[in-house]
Amino acid sequence: MPVTVVNNTKVWQRYDKATRLKIWMGWITGTAITLLCWQLISNNTRWEFVADASQQLSAFLQRMFPPDWAYAEQLWKPLWDTITIATLGTLLAVSIALPLSFVAARNTTPHPILRYVALLIIVISRSVNSLIWALILVAITGPGVLAGILAIALRSIGFIGKLAYESIEETSYEPIEAITATGANRLQVLDYAYLPQVLPSFAGISIFRWDINIREATVLGLVGAGGIGLNLNASVDLLRWDRVGMIFVLIFVLVLISEAISARVRKAII
Amino acid sequence: MAELTASSVTSRRWRKPPLIRNPWLRWGLLIGTLAYLAVAISSVPVDGARIARGLERGGRILLGFLQPDFASRWYDIQIGVLESLTMTVVSTVAGVLLSVPVGLGAARNLAPAPIYLACRSIITISRTFQEVVIAIAFVVMFGFGPLAGVCTLAFATIGFMAKLLAEDIEEIDPAPLEALRATGAGWLKTVTYAVMPQVSARLVGLSVYRFDINLRESAIVGIVGAGGIGSTLQTTFNRYDYDVSAAILFIIIALVMTTELVSGQIRRRLQ
């Protein structure tokens, strides 16, 4: 009990002395590390450029407003491409990730070694950002929508796969045992015992990732992988900030709509 | 049930119920999806000749992954990785510290309407734009370099943390809140003694999780000049030094996996 006697009265404290010391040490180390990191960043920063940041910001906003509304006409096709990249990329990822997740889940995997291979694929896919995947793919397929679709798919396999195999591992055992007891073979058990339990969460995960992918697809064009990011990159390079403003408006609306759709659908499923 | 003959039994065979009960909705969705897919797939240009040429380059990339070159650009890689790590630390700390007031302001049960709306719009803007888009704006303001990256990641952290924190606060047990108010405690004291104890464990868990995400994102904001390993990676790609790119990618994957393991352990212990 962290109770000390001071002047003959008992004083209660939340932690004893050793714990308090540990907490203090933790805070001090954390602060020291953060300050050290900050110093490194500060050394690599040209502070004379930062000094006029407020002027830069106001100039930036002034040149962005009003957005170049006429430019929107040229943006419908890139916008369609962006949605296509996100949708087809997600579908491709779903069609690979779902079988993969059954291999990766502890209770459905055909073999432990295969399970580790599947887990490795999931981890690698998750660790690499879709922009980096796009960087690699643009070198192979050339710039364009195809590279974007593949990049989105490669990143999403890990995301969908991880959440999906976790939900497979959480399935309750009774229906599985019941179906197995009827003499069903492995495929039938999968179809009648596992799938009904996990399909709603699979659908929810996929829609959730689609929503994230819309956001990711807006920037893939910065490395040449198609979509509205291409126009963003070109407008930034030309310093046409009014066009950049127009693109920001469209991205904002697109992401808000996709988020609303995703939230609506997930609420209906779950 | 005498009239239940063998034939009527077979005709009443049980079938799996369809996923969507309403047949109109079911078939409409199916046909709509197929039509959309046909249009979408046909709008994707596929240049077979370009891909054939690219496959040769793909082979070289694969070769680079089999023989990653850590040595020849080790100095640049080292600086880039160190910068990414420091950016992650500073931006996570700054972002979490700033997300607490924003999160408190965005909780409907604590904040008055104007503050609520202001905080909610900060969250919406931060969550709508991808990190790289925000990085473009910060690079314009602060010039090239890691400071723009730190601000980007901190801003993105605010959106993420504040939203989840606000949702948590809106779901807290109202009894302690009422008890504190009944004693005549002010707003700050109510928050310190009734709200924070209920959400702080999750706040720590989320911060650790966000650290992971920031590390991953710090590897890409460099593509628009906001510091970190991303610019080095892009340079190696533009110079066709695929063995160096492979080395950088391996380092990124190893770092992300390590922090993910550590943060997973921490979060498990917190629960």
Side-chain angles (χ1 to χ4, degrees):
Chain A
M1 260 293 162
V3 176
T4 45
V5 180
V6 181
N7 298 334
N8 287 330
T9 46
K10 283 182 177 175
V11 179
W12 178 83
Q13 273 170 315
R14 197 165 164 199
Y15 301 110
D16 59 28
K17 214 167 190 179
T19 319
R20 257 183 295 155
L21 208 66
K22 244 187 243 167
I23 293 174
W24 272 109
M25 284 308 287
W27 278 107
I28 291 171
T29 332
T31 316
I33 291 174
T34 312
L35 288 178
L36 206 72
C37 291
W38 170 247
Q39 197 188 10
L40 274 171
I41 297 213
S42 158
N43 288 344
N44 289 335
T45 303
R46 298 247 192 115
W47 287 101
E48 58 267 36
F49 283 140
V50 180
D52 62 348
S54 56
Q55 286 167 29
Q56 293 284 356
L57 180 67
S58 67
F60 179 60
L61 290 178
Q62 265 169 23
R63 296 180 62 181
M64 217 154 63
F65 287 101
D68 184 0
W69 299 108
Y71 184 51
E73 265 169 45
Q74 297 174 46
L75 288 175
W76 299 127
K77 170 71 174 131
L79 205 63
W80 167 261
D81 282 346
T82 306
I83 299 170
T84 307
I85 290 174
T87 312
L88 294 186
T90 311
L91 283 176
L92 191 61
V94 167
S95 58
I96 299 170
L98 294 190
L100 193 70
S101 65
F102 278 101
V103 179
R106 196 172 289 124
N107 47 351
T108 53
T109 185
H111 196 275
I113 293 176
L114 283 177
R115 173 165 187 256
Y116 282 108
V117 174
L119 287 178
L120 188 71
I121 295 173
I122 288 174
V123 163
I124 290 178
S125 155
R126 271 163 51 76
S127 307
V128 181
N129 201 293
S130 51
L131 257 179
I132 298 177
W133 282 120
L135 214 57
I136 299 174
L137 285 160
V138 165
I140 298 175
T141 67
V145 177
L146 185 65
I149 294 174
L150 294 175
I152 288 288
L154 280 174
R155 169 68 180 85
S156 307
I157 288 172
F159 182 93
I160 299 173
K162 177 168 192 276
L163 293 176
Y165 92 74
E166 281 171 356
S167 81
I168 295 172
E169 285 181 351
E170 280 166 15
T171 47
S172 77
Y173 195 67
E174 285 88 4
I176 296 154
E177 209 171 22
I179 301 284
T180 317
T182 64
N185 61 31
R186 281 193 77 137
L187 219 64
Q188 283 168 326
V189 173
L190 209 65
D191 192 10
Y192 286 88
Y194 282 104
L195 278 184
Q197 289 192 59
V198 292
L199 265 185
S201 70
F202 280 2
I205 295 163
S206 310
I207 287 279
F208 181 41
R209 186 65 215 185
W210 173 78
D211 173 25
I212 299 175
N213 281 343
I214 288 269
R215 208 167 313 186
E216 306 257 295
T218 57
V219 294
L220 289 180
L222 289 173
V223 295
I228 202 165
L230 281 176
N231 301 65
L232 181 61
N233 200 21
S235 306
V236 170
D237 284 346
L238 293 171
L239 302 176
R240 286 293 303 265
W241 296 107
D242 50 342
R243 291 188 167 184
V244 173
M246 185 63 231
I247 293 170
F248 280 3
V249 169
L250 277 184
I251 291 180
F252 193 73
V253 174
L254 175 68
V255 173
L256 280 188
I257 292 175
S258 75
E259 205 171 57
I261 294 175
S262 144
R264 194 53 89 68
V265 173
R266 270 185 291 156
K267 200 174 271 176
I269 294 172
I270 299 162
Chain B
M1 301 284 264
E3 59 276 305
L4 203 69
T5 57
S7 65
S8 73
V9 166
T10 47
S11 69
R12 282 182 48 177
R13 239 189 99 190
W14 179 81
R15 273 219 229 147
K16 235 175 151 185
L19 200 62
I20 301 165
R21 210 151 281 152
N22 182 347
W24 284 101
L25 188 65
R26 186 165 72 234
W27 289 104
L29 268 179
L30 189 68
I31 292 168
T33 314
L34 286 179
Y36 168 75
L37 277 184
V39 177
I41 290 173
S42 65
S43 78
V44 177
V46 178
D47 184 353
R50 175 66 184 81
I51 294 174
R53 266 183 291 141
L55 281 183
E56 182 258 340
R57 197 181 279 172
R60 265 194 293 146
I61 294 178
L62 201 68
L63 213 66
F65 273 90
L66 294 176
Q67 304 168 306
D69 177 8
F70 288 91
S72 63
R73 298 251 172 255
W74 181 240
Y75 182 72
D76 295 323
I77 297 177
Q78 213 181 355
I79 286 181
V81 169
L82 197 66
E83 200 167 83
S84 271
L85 278 174
T86 51
M87 276 164 58
T88 311
V89 172
V90 175
S91 63
T92 310
V93 170
V96 169
L97 289 181
L98 291 171
S99 74
V100 172
V102 178
L104 286 170
R108 207 170 298 174
N109 50 351
L110 287 180
I115 296 180
Y116 171 78
L117 285 178
C119 290
R120 279 286 161 178
S121 44
I122 293 177
I123 292 175
T124 309
I125 292 176
S126 155
R127 284 172 46 80
T128 308
F129 291 108
Q130 223 270 349
E131 277 85 345
V132 177
V133 176
I134 297 170
I136 292 176
F138 276 115
V139 168
V140 172
M141 277 169 69
F142 296 144
F144 292 107
L147 185 67
V150 167
C151 293
T152 305
L153 295 178
F155 187 62
T157 307
I158 293 174
F160 176 86
M161 297 283 300
K163 176 168 189 271
L164 296 172
L165 186 65
E167 279 166 7
D168 261 18
I169 293 174
E170 282 169 359
E171 279 165 17
I172 58 169
D173 179 7
L177 206 66
E178 208 172 323
L180 255 289
R181 279 185 188 146
T183 65
W187 189 84
L188 199 65
K189 279 189 177 157
T190 322
V191 168
T192 323
Y193 292 103
V195 179
M196 282 333 251
Q198 294 193 54
V199 295
S200 58
R202 214 171 114 80
L203 184 67
V204 176
L206 283 174
S207 317
V208 175
Y209 178 49
R210 184 65 213 189
F211 184 88
D212 275 2
I213 302 177
N214 280 345
L215 181 65
R216 237 172 282 186
E217 299 293 333
S218 76
I220 56 154
V221 288
I223 287 174
V224 291
I229 188 75
S231 52
T232 322
L233 186 66
Q234 200 182 20
T235 312
T236 61
F237 262 100
N238 291 340
R239 294 165 54 132
Y240 306 112
D241 286 339
Y242 294 132
D243 41 0
V244 182
S245 329
I248 296 176
L249 277 178
F250 279 129
I251 292 175
I252 293 177
I253 293 176
L255 271 178
V256 170
M257 275 166 75
T258 318
T259 55
E260 203 162 274
L261 273 178
V262 173
S263 83
Q265 290 291 338
I266 294 176
R267 273 184 288 159
R268 208 161 299 148
R269 210 181 288 177
L270 281 173
Q271 275 164 7

